[in-house]
Amino acid sequence: MTVQAWAASTGYYLGDSLRQLGLRELEHQRGDAADSERHGVKGGIVVYAERSKDFVLVDGVKVVLEDAVGSLRGHLTISRTDYEKVFVPLLWGPPRAATAVRRIVLDPGHGGKDPGKINAALGYAEKAATLDTAARLKIALEKRGFEVVFTRTKDEFIELSDRPDFAARTKADLFVSLHYNGGGAGDTTSSGIETYCLSPEGQRSTNSGKAKATTTAEPGNRFDSGNMALAWGLQRQLLSLTGAEDRGVRRARFAVLRTLSCPGVLVEGGFISSRKEGAQIKEDAYRQKIAEAVAIGVAEYAARVRPAQKTQN
Ligand SMILES: [Zn+2]
């Protein structure tokens, strides 16, 4: 491919684009198998990328990209959308909010006739795990001065579209949907935590769902920067407190995220279908860690977007 054709189709040199965001190249390794680069500043966020990988590590946390990391003339490259929708929000931070983040909507996934994922051997269903996690998270968030509202407080069925509508009606500042994952039939070994935010306009979903090819704009895309920053911050805390496998920050056009009127994410706090991880999730202590991690991540996000102090005239 010619350089011009590459520039039109792909995007930017990783190093150049990160330098624009204030990072320096700390290290690069060239080889036939794996070119890699590390960029950062002392005391700041470090980005690690490897050629052909569909993700980068941002402070050690996997962020799944729209396009795999490329390479041109010995330097790694990234797509323009990944620059705009991943690197800018994470390294510059989301814009400050007009008013402080105060009211959080917690959305315990599934309920009633919809049990979500099930671990039959343990007799444990996702809908029970998410409701319990939400109750723990409420306490953790209230301790930090937030106000919490639930989309459901008991074992009842709620339509997917009613969940973001609820956030709009209650004028929420943030929305967090809580889920636990499940593998395919007979899968008892898949494990790890992933956090989703809405796919930006023009970007595919990074999950393997049927909406992968869709690239439409959604109302929730107003909050792309906040969504990404919140997802990454929560994922980082979740991994740190649980030690779980990192399945990455991902993007999808989930129904609960599409029409949100505030920034929001969907957390998959581990595989309930897993023999090992499912048993952990069934333990109170594990769900408490998930709750604490989300609370810390929300508080960090709120601090990051806190409105600037008004100066007196
Ligand atoms: Zn679920």
Side-chain angles (χ1 to χ4, degrees), residues 109-110 116-117 126 130 178-181 266 268:
H110 311 279
K117 305 291 181 185
E126 184 185 353
T130 58
L178 297 166
H179 288 254
Y180 290 94
N181 226 329
L266 184 147
E268 292 278 6

Side-chain angles (χ1 to χ4, degrees), residues 157-192:
F157 179 77
I158 298 176
E159 294 289 349
L160 286 176
S161 60
D162 287 348
R163 299 173 187 250
D165 287 357
F166 180 81
R169 277 203 308 278
T170 56
K171 298 187 166 46
D173 300 307
L174 281 186
F175 176 91
V176 179
S177 191
L178 297 166
H179 288 254
Y180 290 94
N181 226 329
D187 177 357
T188 57
T189 55
S190 289
S191 63

